[in-house]
């Protein structure tokens, strides 16, 4: 019996180890394909990853995750030839696509063909023999271009050789490589939507495919860099003509509006002055929006909501879905231990819980989903205070509270805090309006929210050696709501109020699948002992504050009859959409015309 148990245990360990190895291989494949083909959207146009068990002739056998091909026919005449296509055609957005085939055994005669074919081409043939089929054959080194008659092309290949096939979707050509060396152009004027294809004809022939599962023998990335340089040079040489002055003026206006939109008030003023432009929003209004953005980006959602209600009294009343989104984010920040309501109740969140990544990110298209990073560049202007001082005696609700002393551990009556006017326990005082002394790489070294090298350091927290600890140590300290029992109780109560708000919204405005998913995802954080490392833990990442910040900022701008998105971001988004359309219409040059490459 013990022998059976140990045997079962051994088998289980083998299975688990095997699954782990497969997961690592899949991860490596995904990373390599993303690096090689960043412009490809695999939701729309999946990349070839293996041979298709459905799109092959019967004499073809597949094994090893459909990457190994072996011949199992008679192999007496050309009528016994057999081919197999990959699972998907090559997407145009690759720009340049490459795969390799290793000859495991040449078999009896080495009648092997490696190449490309369109959907529907007869699989009872070697690649290259029929229309819209192209192949390089090992027995004679000839290339076959939609014809049964080959042309001299390269050397023969046999057992142990690695043959690569590169498709250039920009100039519609194809070349092959042998053991890492290019053999020159084999085919021109290729049609779109071709599939990687391999064909065998005699017994014993076995080949393995590499669609990115392993590093390639040929340096395809160097070839890609050459073409990226060519395409970018074409763009740079595009003639502007006599309209250069008009373009310059338009670009200056776009930059100015971008700075205003994101509340870079001092920079906007300086830029407008240097380019003789007018700022189309009052400076006080820009500073008000800056104040709110700072609060959202530091995770102090309760204070951000209160400040918004004070400065724009009817905005959230008119936008119940926006208020709900802000409240859901506040719940997430409570879990994170960063919202003022839970910080006030005695919790002390590790600095890692409150950090905000400082490196600027590229513009996002206005069509991006909310989960992606919206256009927002961290770091605020020096010499720019927020311009609005909160009146401590004033509040939009009678249920305002005085600041709680740090670490007091006191709890507040549930009736004192309502979701329709949630009161922060630390009213916005002059500490939020402090000037930014200096910033490096987009991260302020001294600011109202205490940003320091990407980690927020609040005035209620004393400096100590925690700041110098490694990231792993800081992360190991992360606790729900900062570790305070009173804060956890407050968070649970807030969650119940949020559920009631959701039900009220559904009754008043009808079903909203986005709101439902948002709330479900937020509540799912509580299902895990370590929500930061859970499948839904991405919500706790500081970067997720950006789309919330962007949406609130856009809503405020609408109240001033200003555009929700700055023209510069719209232009970048439009360029990204144009590239996507180019990809769908088969223009391979889109792969090397990334907007991000020009922004950086």
């Amino acid at each position: 019996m013990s022998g059976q148990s140990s045997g079962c245990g051994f088998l289980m360990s083998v299975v688990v180890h095997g699954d782990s190895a497969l997961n690592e291989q899949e991860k490596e494949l995904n990373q390599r394909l993303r690096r090689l083909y960043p412009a490809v959207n695999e939701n729309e146009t999946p990349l070839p990853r293996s041979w298709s068990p459905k799109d092959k002739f019967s004499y073809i056998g597949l094994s090893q995750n459909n990457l190994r091909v072996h011949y199992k026919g008679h192999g007496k005449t050309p009528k016994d030839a057999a081919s197999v296509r990959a699972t998907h055609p090559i997407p145009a957005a690759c720009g340049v696509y490459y795969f390799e085939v290793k000859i495991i055994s040449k078999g009896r005669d080495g009648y092997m063909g490696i190449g490309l074919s369109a959907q529907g081409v007869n699989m009872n043939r070697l690649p290259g023999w029929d229309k819209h089929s192209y192949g390089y054959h090992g027995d004679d080194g000839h290339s076959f271009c939609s014809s049964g008659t080959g042309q001299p092309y390269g050397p023969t290949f046999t057992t142990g050789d690695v043959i690569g096939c590169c498709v250039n979707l920009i100039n519609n050509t194809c070349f092959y490589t042998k053991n890492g060396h290019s053999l020159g152009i084999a085919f021109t004027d290729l049609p779109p939507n071709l599939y990687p294809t391999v064909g065998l004809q005699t017994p014993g022939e076995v080949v393995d495919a590499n669609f990115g599962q392993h590093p390639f023998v040929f340096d395809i990335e160097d070839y890609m860099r050459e073409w990226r340089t060519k395409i970018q040079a074409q763009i740079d040489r595009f003639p502007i003509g006599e309209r250069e002055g008009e373009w310059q003026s338009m670009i200056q206006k776009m930059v100015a509006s971008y700075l205003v939109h994101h509340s870079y008030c001092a920079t906007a003023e300086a830029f407008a002055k240097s380019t003789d432009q007018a700022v189309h929003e009052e400076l006080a209004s820009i500073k008000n929006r800056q104040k709110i953005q700072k609060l959202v980006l530091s995770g102090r959602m309760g204070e951000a909501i209160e400040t918004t209600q004070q400065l724009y009294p009817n905005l959230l009343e008119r936008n119940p879905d926006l208020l709900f989104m802000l409240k859901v984010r506040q719940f997430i920040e409570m879990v994170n231990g960063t919202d003022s309501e839970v910080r006030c109740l005695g919790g002390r969140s590790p600095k890692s819980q409150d950090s905000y990544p400082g490196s600027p990110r590229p513009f996002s298209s206005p069509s991006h989903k909310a989960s992606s990073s919206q256009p927002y560049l961290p770091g605020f202007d020096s010499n720019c205070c927020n311009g609005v001082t909160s009146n401590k005696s004033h509040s939009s609700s009678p249920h305002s509270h005085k600041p709680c002393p740090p670490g007091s551990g006191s709890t507040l009556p549930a009736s004192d805090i309502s979701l329709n006017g949630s009161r922060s326990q630390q009213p916005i005082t002059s500490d939020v309006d402090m000037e930014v002394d200096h910033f490096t790489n987009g991260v302020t070294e001294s600011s109202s929210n205490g940003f320091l090298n990407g980690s927020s350091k609040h005035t209620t927290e004393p400096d100590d050696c925690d700041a110098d600890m490694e990231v792993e140590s800081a992360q190991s300290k992360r606790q729900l709501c900062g570790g305070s029992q009173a804060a956890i109780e407050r968070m649970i109560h807030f969650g119940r109020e949020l559920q009631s708000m959701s039900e009220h919204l559904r009754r008043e405005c009808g079903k909203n699948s986005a709101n439902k998913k948002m709330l479900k995802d937020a509540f799912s954080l509580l299902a895990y002992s370590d929500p930061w490392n859970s499948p839904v833990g991405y919500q706790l990442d500081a970067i997720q504050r950006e789309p919330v910040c962007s949406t609130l900022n856009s809503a405020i701008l609408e109240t001033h009859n200003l555009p929700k998105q700055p023209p510069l971001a719209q232009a970048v988004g439009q360029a990204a959409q144009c590239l996507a359309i180019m990809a769908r219409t088969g223009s391979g040059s889109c792969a090397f015309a990334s907007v991000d490459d020009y922004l950086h």
Side-chain angles (χ1 to χ4, degrees), residues 152-434:
Y153 170 65
T156 60
F157 52 86
T158 186
T159 302
D161 288 330
V162 176
I163 304 301
C165 178
C166 179
V167 183
N168 186 319
L169 296 121
I170 301 169
N171 61 11
N172 300 316
T173 62
C174 169
F175 71 85
Y176 288 88
T177 67
K178 180 180 177 182
N179 299 328
H181 300 285
S182 174
L183 302 178
I185 299 293
F187 309 113
T188 59
D189 301 318
L190 293 175
N193 299 316
L194 294 176
Y195 291 71
T197 307
V198 69
L200 309 175
Q201 190 180 313
T202 62
E205 294 170 352
V206 182
V207 299
D208 281 353
N210 177 12
F211 294 104
Q213 283 82 2
H214 308 285
F216 294 119
V217 176
F218 178 71
D219 188 357
I220 190 61
E221 293 187 62
D222 185 59
Y223 179 76
M224 288 178 165
R225 279 190 290 272
E226 289 180 21
W227 274 93
R228 181 174 287 107
T229 301
K230 289 181 183 179
I231 296 300
Q232 292 182 352
Q234 278 186 311
I235 295 171
D236 292 340
R237 290 195 303 266
F238 184 81
I240 296 176
E242 298 176 357
R243 300 184 60 190
E244 184 172 358
E246 293 178 39
W247 286 38
Q248 189 70 23
S249 175
M250 184 181 298
I251 289 171
Q252 288 175 351
K253 289 179 180 178
M254 292 170 74
V255 171
S257 65
Y258 177 84
L259 295 171
V260 169
H261 181 94
H262 289 295
S263 307
Y264 298 120
C265 43
T267 308
E269 276 190 297
F271 185 81
K273 186 176 181 180
S274 66
T275 55
D276 295 323
Q277 296 185 68
V279 177
H280 299 294
E281 184 182 2
E282 291 182 8
L283 193 59
S285 175
I286 300 174
K287 292 176 179 178
N288 287 344
R289 290 192 293 106
Q290 186 188 64
K291 170 188 285 187
I292 293 169
Q293 288 175 348
K294 285 183 177 183
L295 290 170
V296 173
L297 291 174
S298 61
R300 296 157 70 178
M301 288 304 305
E303 294 173 77
I305 293 169
E306 178 177 4
T307 305
T308 302
Q309 289 171 329
Q310 289 175 355
L311 298 173
Y312 307 98
N314 299 317
L315 174 65
L316 298 182
E317 290 180 13
R318 291 195 305 266
N319 293 273
D321 286 334
L322 174 60
L323 177 60
F324 183 73
M325 180 187 71
L326 297 177
K327 291 293 182 183
V328 172
R329 187 66 216 175
Q330 185 178 3
F331 177 84
I332 293 168
E333 298 297 351
M334 284 183 167
V335 174
N336 214 7
T338 47
D339 188 71
S340 299
E341 285 201 32
V342 296
R343 294 180 70 89
C344 175
L345 295 177
R348 182 186 185 282
S349 66
K351 298 179 191 302
S352 62
Q353 289 185 189
D354 206 15
S355 64
Y356 181 72
S359 56
R361 279 165 292 280
F363 299 106
S364 298
S365 163
S367 64
H368 280 193
K369 295 180 181 178
S371 62
S372 66
S373 173
Q374 293 295 321
Y376 191 86
L377 301 179
F380 296 89
D381 303 316
S382 57
N383 306 320
C384 176
C385 66
N386 292 314
V388 174
T389 304
S390 174
N391 185 344
K392 295 179 185 178
S393 63
H394 170 76
S395 174
S396 59
S397 164
H399 304 303
S400 296
H401 296 280
K402 296 178 181 178
C404 300
S408 63
S410 61
T411 57
L412 298 173
S415 59
D416 284 352
I417 306 174
S418 69
L419 273 174
N420 293 323
S422 174
R423 298 286 63 106
S424 163
Q425 305 313 308
Q426 290 180 333
I428 309 301
T429 56
S430 58
D431 71 303
V432 170
D433 302 322
M434 289 174 64

Side-chain angles (χ1 to χ4, degrees), residues 101-114:
V101 174
K102 182 174 183 178
I103 314 304
I104 304 301
S105 172
K106 78 177 188 65
R108 191 182 70 198
D109 299 324
Y111 289 169
M112 301 168 289
I114 297 166

